Amino acid sequence: MALKPKEAAPAAEKAPEAKAEQPAGKPAAPPSYAPFLAPAFVGSLVLVFIGERLLGNVETWRLVISSLGMLGAVATTALRFLHASSEKDPERRKIERALSLFAALGLVALGIYFAANTEVGRRALGILDATPDKRARFDGASTVAWVVLILVSVLPLVFGEIALAPMRRAPRVEGRRVRAATIAGLSLALAVAYAALFTYAAGELDAKVDFSYFRTAKASESTKKIVTSAPDTVEVRAFFPPLNDVGMEVEGYLADIAKSAPNFKYGFYDRLLNPQLAKDNKVTQDAVIVILRGPTRETLTLDKEMNKAAAKLKTLDADFQKALLKAMKEQRTAYFTVGHGELNEGTGAAAAEGRTSKILRRLLESQNYAVKDLGMPQGLANAVPDDASLVVVLGPAQAFLPEEIASLEKYAARGGKLLLALDPETKGDLAPLAALADLSFDPTVLATTDQLFVPRRRNASDKANLVSNRFSSHASVSTLSRVSQRAVVLVPVAGSLDKKAGSEPKVDFVLRSSGAAFADKNGNYELDGDEKKATFNLAAAVTKPLGEGVDKAKVKGPQEMRAFVLADADALSDLALGVAETNQLFAVDAVRWLGGDESFSGEIVTPEDVRIEHTKQKDMFWFYGTIIGAPALLFGVGLLVTRRARRTAGRKA
């Protein structure tokens, strides 16, 4: 029995050592708000995104949401720094400081964004009045900077927070695990930034590669409206061989129209199996589309071979609509005035600069107008011809004679339709032309202090190449007003319009400049002391009821005078119409409104890719790549991960 105390003695001596190995006490619990800092920070960034990107047109809500997001980001970052400084454990303090720095990078990104995208920030940085080239470079660099910083801030922060979350209340943290997660997030952020920069740089290159086999246009809303507006049945007979690839594409196009037009029907026929039907429709070859409406028949010819018909399929909607209008409506006549240096007479230097009207003529012909000239030899000084459905005055360089103005006045009084495009750089007096629509025209060239212009010569004169998306809800611009967020009209070297005091006609200014435009009186393209920024009227739609004594039976189109007046003739020139499809839509909708066809307004669908075809070698590559290559790659990655996991487990053991 005496041996027991002696045997117990060593155990008693070891007890203090065992006690010494235990921690003196548990670390202080982290603040209750610590786990919510990262979600709150990310949520604040989301609020800024919603305010700036989704609510950009609602100024009040944009300010509220963006301000809340900015305040939330600042507050969460400040709390994170405060928590890091109060942490007593050195390992935890290092982790919290690292995460705090990533949050601070997010604030730097927000600062760059607001400095580059607000008027106050741009003025403070001297960018607002910089040259277009410098502004373009700054905008590109600032966008890249804040996007990359956001990625470098958010991804490492989120990855590190996810790794740290299970260890916040543990006696010790595994700093190496949190650092590895943070580095993984940083690597992913840099990889995404590299891919985005690579894509951005590739997009800036002036090179395109089209891998599509062909692209067939779909039926546009405008075409569907034209079909639906017909008071009787519109029938289409398509003559194609059985199982023909081109015929299948055409069938898909016609089926799309038939879905929304109950008065539209179509059928496909083999001309060899239906010889009498082909003879009745005057079809002597394959790939012919016949449009029938009552006794009227129009024909559209394609090619039965796909490689030859590809180009026609791309413009199928425009070609079909042109033939459809010919079948639906009687051909009308549009007269272009000549003899005053108009754009439609452009030759020599003017033609070299694109100041011609070939595209506008084609657009009128696509709306079933026959285009003719109207000048002194054609009797403009006496009267406008009775068959005139539309008179176009396109940028005259010289003033009209009083007799010619009087002739146009008489035409307008009997319900005529006028398209007046005035040139502010002309030397002649254009006030009498504007007065035809009870408008006044100021030829002072407009310039702008914002970025709503198109650089062309890369100097100060580019500030006069205005663009605008400020459309009214008038029928003459209804299509563009619906897509104003992504569509602008190019208005190079424009004057301005205004309504005459006490005028009788109804005037709707359908296109206005931005509020940063100014009348450049001295022609230096800079805002001087005697010049003020304002919103200017660029285009107007004018209507006036018919007077007493007018024979309404002879009025072409709507039973009223209509005029569409534009303060810049270059907006309808080949230069503008050739580079801006929205200008073509702008011109077509104006012509349709003048002719009473505003119900047909709508975009003509652009071609889209529908199929990609590989060569035999490419098919072989994809076959062996998916059957052998992809499984082998997956097997190799799995083997590598497994071996690394076993090696790590061995070192820990």
Side-chain angles (χ1 to χ4, degrees):
M1 298 297 293
L3 293 175
K4 291 181 180 179
K6 293 181 179 180
E7 292 175 358
E13 293 175 358
K14 293 179 181 179
E17 295 179 6
K19 185 177 181 181
E21 292 177 359
Q22 296 177 358
K26 291 184 178 181
S32 58
Y33 60 79
F36 303 102
L37 291 177
F41 181 81
V42 175
S44 300
L45 296 182
V46 172
L47 285 179
V48 174
F49 174 82
I50 293 174
E52 294 298 314
R53 295 295 179 181
L54 303 184
L55 301 176
N57 293 330
V58 187
E59 189 65 17
T60 303
W61 281 106
R62 184 185 71 82
L63 290 174
V64 171
I65 300 299
S66 298
S67 300
L68 287 176
M70 192 67 183
L71 290 175
V74 172
T76 52
T77 304
L79 288 174
R80 187 173 285 282
F81 272 104
L82 182 64
H83 174 46
S85 62
S86 64
E87 189 63 63
K88 296 180 179 180
D89 184 10
E91 190 68 22
R92 293 178 184 271
R93 187 162 54 250
K94 289 181 181 179
I95 294 172
E96 292 294 346
R97 283 179 178 175
L99 297 180
S100 300
L101 290 176
F102 284 117
L105 279 178
L107 293 184
V108 173
L110 290 179
I112 294 175
Y113 172 81
F114 283 105
N117 292 275
T118 60
E119 185 175 353
V120 175
R122 295 176 72 86
R123 181 176 289 108
L125 295 173
I127 300 299
L128 200 60
D129 299 322
T131 61
D133 286 343
K134 185 176 180 181
R135 282 202 301 268
R137 290 194 298 270
F138 173 81
D139 291 341
S142 61
T143 301
V144 169
W146 72 260
V147 170
V148 170
L149 286 178
I150 284 289
L151 289 173
V152 172
S153 167
V154 172
L155 289 181
L157 179 62
V158 171
F159 279 43
E161 191 68 29
I162 292 174
L164 180 62
M167 299 181 286
R168 281 198 175 276
R169 297 185 177 275
R172 294 182 181 179
V173 295
E174 296 183 32
R176 185 168 56 183
R177 179 184 296 181
V178 179
R179 282 193 293 273
T182 305
I183 292 173
L186 181 60
S187 301
L188 180 60
L190 293 176
V192 172
Y194 173 81
L197 289 173
F198 181 84
T199 305
Y200 175 80
E204 291 298 307
L205 294 176
D206 189 17
K208 295 182 180 180
V209 180
D210 189 358
F211 293 102
S212 63
Y213 180 56
F214 62 83
R215 294 174 293 175
T216 302
K218 292 184 178 179
S220 64
E221 290 300 319
S222 177
T223 301
K224 295 176 182 178
K225 289 177 181 178
I226 295 173
V227 174
T228 307
S229 66
D232 48 11
T233 301
V234 177
E235 182 181 359
V236 172
R237 296 171 182 172
F239 292 87
F240 285 89
L243 303 177
N244 180 261
D245 288 341
V246 180
M248 291 179 182
E249 295 296 326
V250 173
E251 184 176 9
Y253 174 83
L254 298 177
D256 191 22
I257 299 176
K259 290 179 183 177
S260 56
N263 62 330
F264 180 79
K265 65 178 183 177
Y266 67 95
F268 278 76
Y269 308 93
D270 185 345
R271 67 181 181 88
L272 299 179
L273 298 178
N274 300 272
Q276 186 60 44
L277 184 64
K279 182 179 180 180
D280 293 342
N281 289 274
K282 299 182 180 180
V283 175
T284 58
Q285 65 183 53
D286 291 326
V288 175
I289 302 173
V290 180
I291 303 173
L292 300 170
R293 179 178 172 267
T296 307
R297 178 175 60 242
E298 289 295 329
T299 301
L300 179 62
T301 304
L302 303 176
D303 197 290
K304 64 180 180 180
E305 300 295 333
M306 180 58 73
N307 57 346
K308 297 179 180 179
K312 282 284 188 178
L313 289 174
K314 293 177 182 180
T315 59
L316 179 59
D317 186 56
D319 295 339
F320 183 83
Q321 187 179 121
K322 182 178 180 180
L324 183 64
L325 285 171
K326 290 182 178 180
M328 295 259 314
K329 300 183 74 66
E330 180 183 354
Q331 189 176 47
R332 294 165 288 185
T333 304
Y335 282 94
F336 277 75
T337 61
V338 294
H340 314 89
E342 287 92 343
L343 266 62
N344 41 291
E345 296 182 300
T347 57
E353 293 182 358
R355 303 190 83 242
T356 48
S357 63
K358 294 179 182 178
I359 297 178
L360 182 59
R361 283 177 176 269
R362 288 201 298 267
L363 291 176
L364 284 168
E365 289 169 356
S366 71
Q367 300 304 306
N368 202 22
Y369 279 91
V371 180
K372 299 180 181 180
D373 291 338
L374 178 60
M376 292 288 284
Q378 291 79 26
L380 177 59
N382 296 314
V384 174
D386 292 337
D387 65 339
S389 299
L390 175 65
V391 174
V392 181
V393 181
L394 190 60
Q398 302 170 9
F400 277 55
L401 295 176
E403 293 80 8
E404 294 173 320
I405 294 295
S407 176
L408 292 174
E409 284 180 346
K410 294 177 183 177
Y411 171 70
R414 66 174 194 253
K417 312 300 182 290
L418 297 170
L419 176 57
L420 307 176
L422 309 180
D423 186 359
E425 294 183 319
T426 185
K427 296 180 181 179
D429 183 14
L430 301 182
L433 285 173
L436 293 173
D438 273 22
L439 296 174
S440 61
F441 174 63
D442 185 353
T444 305
V445 175
L446 303 181
T448 185
T449 59
D450 58 17
Q451 299 182 58
L452 296 179
F453 66 89
V454 176
R456 183 183 175 192
R457 295 184 174 87
R458 303 293 176 179
N459 55 35
S461 66
D462 289 337
K463 294 181 180 180
N465 295 329
L466 306 183
V467 294
S468 177
N469 64 345
R470 302 189 63 177
F471 306 103
S472 74
S473 58
H474 192 265
S476 61
V477 290
S478 58
T479 304
L480 289 172
S481 65
R482 290 196 299 267
V483 294
S484 59
Q485 295 299 318
R486 57 183 176 87
V488 296
V489 170
L490 174 60
V491 192
V493 193
S496 57
L497 301 170
D498 208 348
K499 185 177 181 180
K500 280 190 173 182
S503 60
E504 297 179 4
K506 179 182 178 182
V507 179
D508 191 317
F509 292 108
V510 298
L511 179 65
R512 291 182 169 89
S513 71
S514 70
F518 64 94
D520 189 21
K521 299 177 182 178
N522 56 10
N524 66 349
Y525 305 104
E526 298 293 339
L527 183 63
D528 300 315
D530 59 337
E531 299 168 347
K532 295 182 180 180
K533 293 189 290 186
T535 299
F536 294 87
N537 302 314
L538 302 177
V542 183
T543 57
K544 186 177 182 179
L546 297 176
E548 296 182 2
V550 176
D551 187 357
K552 295 184 178 180
K554 296 182 179 181
V555 177
K556 303 286 185 180
Q559 299 294 301
E560 61 184 357
M561 185 280 287
R562 288 190 176 185
F564 191 88
V565 187
L566 189 60
D568 175 32
D570 288 319
L572 302 181
S573 68
D574 288 344
L575 176 64
L577 296 177
V579 300
E581 291 185 2
T582 47
N583 278 53
Q584 294 190 25
L585 188 58
F586 179 66
V588 169
D589 274 5
V591 169
R592 284 173 171 170
W593 174 74
L594 288 169
D597 299 330
E598 55 266 34
S599 61
F600 299 165
S601 297
E603 295 181 86
I604 296 177
V605 173
T606 55
E608 63 179 37
D609 292 338
V610 295
R611 186 172 68 186
I612 295 178
E613 185 176 272
H614 299 293
T615 63
K616 183 177 180 180
Q617 291 78 9
K618 289 181 179 179
D619 286 336
M620 186 179 299
F621 169 79
W622 284 109
F623 175 77
Y624 286 114
T626 54
I627 299 300
I628 300 176
L633 179 62
L634 184 60
F635 176 77
V637 172
L639 182 62
L640 180 62
V641 171
T642 304
R643 291 188 64 182
R644 290 188 62 182
R646 289 178 179 176
R647 193 179 298 116
T648 303
R651 284 200 301 267
K652 288 183 177 180

